[in-house]
Amino acid sequence: MALRFLRKSLAIFFACSLLAACYPRDDLGIDNSMNEINSKEEWIVYTDNEVGFTIKYPKAWLIERADLAEGRTFIGFGPLESRSGGTLWGIEVYERDVDHVTDVELIINAIGKQFSDRNETRKNVTIGSLNALLVTVTTQKFEDWISKTVIIESPRAIYSISNGAIDDERFNNFYESFELL
């Protein structure tokens, strides 16, 4: 009887270990199995005429769009698995003709403001013919929390493209496909 219990316990342990290896999670409980790059993954174009841009994203992903208060719009992109916790990547659009703050420094300072050991780096990047700013924010408290936000300014709006603080090499393809209409 004890031997059968031990075998069942080992079988359950082995199954759980195998499952954990297939679906790695970091300290924040975020599924990082989505980070693997699939070279055969097909990407399609999302066009938003209302706020004036196009961007490519993985075809199997979902899109959620929300018109927020004060001339802000959020468009989120993510796999079905991310739906319960929101989307993975997002674009927040701050329209300039609305009477609210559209200061880039305020947008940047809000990234990771919950961390007392917030570390920020900035890098000028070019996306097509657009000048942009890549802001990376990290914290030592959670080594896997790596927020990358690309900020693009146009006369019409400020576009803030975020990786959801999950380091994923595909994010570069995402923001580099951004185009203004």
Side-chain angles (χ1 to χ4, degrees):
M1 182 69 113
L3 187 57
R4 189 168 48 204
F5 175 76
L6 181 59
R7 284 184 186 157
K8 283 185 180 179
S9 297
L10 286 174
I12 291 170
F13 174 77
F14 179 72
C16 290
S17 298
L18 184 61
L19 187 61
C22 292
Y23 297 98
R25 297 194 177 268
D26 65 14
D27 293 329
L28 297 174
I30 298 170
D31 185 349
N32 285 325
S33 63
M34 295 180 282
N35 289 354
E36 296 175 14
I37 296 175
N38 179 350
S39 61
K40 296 180 183 177
E41 184 174 50
E42 184 179 350
W43 289 53
I44 58 175
V45 176
Y46 170 81
T47 300
D48 194 314
N49 291 313
E50 189 175 331
V51 291
F53 74 90
T54 66
I55 197 160
K56 293 180 182 175
Y57 68 98
K59 182 178 181 177
W61 284 21
L62 304 171
I63 300 171
E64 292 184 8
R65 188 181 194 287
D67 292 321
L68 307 174
E70 301 174 352
R72 290 179 18 238
T73 301
F74 178 81
I75 303 96
F77 301 82
L80 185 58
E81 302 87 47
S82 71
R83 192 167 182 91
S84 64
T87 53
L88 190 59
W89 300 332
I91 301 174
E92 191 155 359
V93 182
Y94 302 83
E95 294 182 43
R96 290 190 185 272
D97 62 348
V98 178
D99 190 26
H100 66 82
V101 177
T102 55
D103 181 1
V104 170
E105 288 303 315
L106 290 175
I107 295 168
I108 293 171
N109 291 334
I111 304 167
K113 71 178 180 181
Q114 69 270 35
F115 300 114
S116 60
D117 65 341
R118 177 184 183 277
N119 183 36
E120 172 191 311
T121 60
R122 298 179 185 201
K123 179 182 176 184
N124 291 318
V125 295
T126 303
I127 301 169
S129 62
L130 300 172
N131 293 322
L133 180 64
L134 171 61
V135 179
T136 303
V137 176
T138 58
T139 176
Q140 291 181 355
K141 185 174 182 177
F142 298 105
E143 291 179 10
D144 289 343
W145 193 93
I146 302 170
S147 175
K148 292 184 179 179
T149 304
V150 177
I151 298 175
I152 300 166
E153 293 187 77
S154 78
R156 178 179 182 172
I158 298 172
Y159 300 86
S160 174
I161 307 170
S162 172
N163 73 340
I166 298 174
D167 199 23
D168 183 336
E169 290 181 33
R170 297 175 299 175
F171 180 68
N172 293 355
N173 296 335
F174 180 67
Y175 79 74
E176 288 172 354
S177 72
F178 181 90
E179 294 180 14
L180 291 172
L181 296 177

